[in-house]
Amino acid sequence: MNQYSLSHLQELEAESIYVIREVAAQFENPVLLFSGGKDSIVCFHLAKKAFWPAKVPFPLMHVDTGHNFSETIDFRDKLIEKSGARLIVASVQKAIDEGKVVEETGVNASRNGLQTSVLLEAIVEHSFDCAMGGARRDEEKARAKERFFSHRDDFGQWDPKNQRPELWNLFNGRKNVGEHFRAFPISNWTEMDIWQYILNEKIELPSLYFSHQRDVFERDGTLLSKTDFIQTKENEIVENRTIRFRTIGDATCTGAVPSEAASIEDIINEVAATRTTERGGRADDKRSEAAMEDRKKEGYF
């Protein structure tokens, strides 16, 4: 290996920065979707590197279900204040109040699916022509089908059978009026890559990712946090356990894992040994075998 060889993390970083710069070059009004999870935090970190010393030239947008963990919102607000980035919040609660979407009822109710129409409305309202995000191909089989540049029609829908080739990392962002794109700068990263990069770059994360005590209960094989958003069933026992979260999203469908991993090094060792996929604890992915693909076709990220 010569002195100019790149490590695999440096290669992934360079690829992602290239994609982010291509988005900025090809589109007039892009946005970075930001959930407060580790992948969107890494994407924002990469965007800052891509345009340093200038500021990130596009806003961040959080599709807020109103059922987020308080730690996520606190971290988001502190990060925005520290970075000086512009944040747009698209509120599911506001859409419910205005009668634009209908909230699910019952013990298994979740607002996660309501994000799609709120996202699409926000894209139209702000005239965004490309929405970037932290989806990765290793997360889920539907996401493995996505290109770096993913075309959406004028209804915001995705057709997995009609995608544009991306030979030699040449991206085609041409679109008709009313259409837009999704872009996935970290498509080729794995969960392990993300954690190793976070360690190398000393990136701060919400405390939810690290081992802590929390009241949880088990439902259909998933450990859910006891919150005001979730109604427990009679046979469900709430107990205080030592857990952490591998993914962060709507509290009603984001599963926890038993864990003693209190540092990034501990998490890397845990990820290396696990045989469960990262989204294995996401209750929303278990609603059907094609749950994610169906939602993506409708406009979900």
Side-chain angles (χ1 to χ4, degrees):
M1 180 182 294
N2 63 52
Q3 60 179 322
Y4 300 111
S5 296
L6 298 178
S7 71
H8 84 282
L9 288 180
Q10 289 173 318
E11 290 177 350
L12 288 170
E13 179 189 70
E15 178 183 65
S16 298
I17 287 175
Y18 172 73
V19 173
I20 292 169
R21 288 173 175 166
E22 279 292 297
V23 169
Q26 292 198 38
F27 298 99
E28 296 181 2
N29 190 25
V31 65
L32 175 61
L33 298 184
F34 186 83
S35 67
K38 68 183 187 309
D39 297 317
S40 61
I41 292 170
V42 166
C43 281
F44 182 48
H45 181 83
L46 291 164
K48 289 190 290 184
K49 279 196 165 189
F51 302 104
W52 180 264
K55 287 189 174 182
V56 174
F58 39 76
L60 281 62
M61 183 166 71
H62 182 201
V63 181
D64 183 359
T65 66
H67 287 173
N68 294 286
F69 294 102
S70 59
E71 294 92 335
T72 304
I73 301 302
D74 291 343
F75 182 90
R76 180 200 71 185
D77 293 344
K78 289 177 182 177
L79 181 65
I80 294 300
E81 182 180 3
K82 181 179 179 180
S83 66
R86 177 187 170 205
L87 174 69
I88 297 169
V89 178
S91 171
V92 171
Q93 182 62 60
K94 181 181 177 183
I96 292 171
D97 294 341
E98 294 175 350
K100 295 178 179 178
V101 295
V102 178
E103 187 162 18
E104 292 182 7
T105 58
V107 70
N108 292 312
S110 173
R111 291 184 176 181
N112 197 59
L114 302 182
Q115 293 180 89
T116 299
S117 59
V118 175
L119 169 61
L120 294 176
E121 182 180 18
I123 287 173
V124 173
E125 177 186 351
H126 297 281
S127 300
F128 293 129
D129 52 1
C130 182
M132 285 179 286
R136 308 188 322 269
R137 292 189 178 116
D138 78 316
E139 288 182 277
E140 202 274 340
K141 56 189 178 183
R143 284 182 166 167
K145 299 178 182 180
E146 291 271 20
R147 303 288 196 263
F148 280 109
F149 276 28
S150 184
H151 175 263
R152 296 300 197 270
D153 65 20
D154 51 0
F155 292 101
Q157 296 175 324
W158 171 63
D159 182 0
K161 297 180 180 179
N162 183 23
Q163 299 192 75
R164 299 176 183 181
E166 294 180 341
L167 303 176
W168 306 290
N169 276 2
L170 296 175
F171 305 128
N172 180 359
R174 295 184 64 181
K175 57 183 177 52
N176 297 317
V177 175
E179 300 175 343
H180 73 276
F181 274 75
R182 307 288 170 85
F184 306 98
I186 60 171
S187 287
N188 287 336
W189 297 53
T190 66
E191 183 185 10
M192 178 63 80
D193 294 330
I194 291 291
W195 282 112
Q196 290 177 337
Y197 187 74
I198 288 169
L199 177 65
N200 289 352
E201 296 288 305
K202 299 179 173 60
I203 299 173
E204 293 184 18
L205 294 175
S207 59
L208 293 166
Y209 281 111
F210 303 97
S211 177
H212 61 282
Q213 298 293 125
R214 186 174 291 266
D215 288 340
V216 296
F217 63 94
E218 184 172 341
R219 176 176 295 173
D220 299 327
T222 298
L223 276 182
L224 294 175
S225 175
K226 180 68 177 72
T227 68
D228 294 336
F229 315 132
I230 305 178
Q231 175 185 351
T232 55
K233 302 175 183 178
E234 290 185 3
N235 63 333
E236 292 173 337
I237 301 173
V238 178
E239 55 183 341
N240 191 265
R241 297 182 61 176
T242 303
I243 58 93
R244 73 176 191 88
F245 294 91
R246 289 176 72 184
T247 65
I248 293 179
D250 188 290
T252 63
C253 59
T254 301
V257 293
S259 175
E260 299 287 344
S263 68
I264 295 176
E265 291 88 348
D266 291 341
I267 292 173
I268 288 173
N269 291 332
E270 185 177 270
V271 170
T274 188
R275 297 180 63 85
T276 304
T277 62
E278 183 178 2
R279 292 185 67 93
R282 289 296 294 257
D284 51 324
D285 288 354
K286 298 179 180 180
R287 292 196 170 194
S288 74
E289 286 191 9
M292 174 64 79
E293 182 158 334
D294 291 342
R295 282 179 287 155
K296 287 178 72 65
K297 287 178 180 178
E298 295 171 356
Y300 185 78
F301 200 80

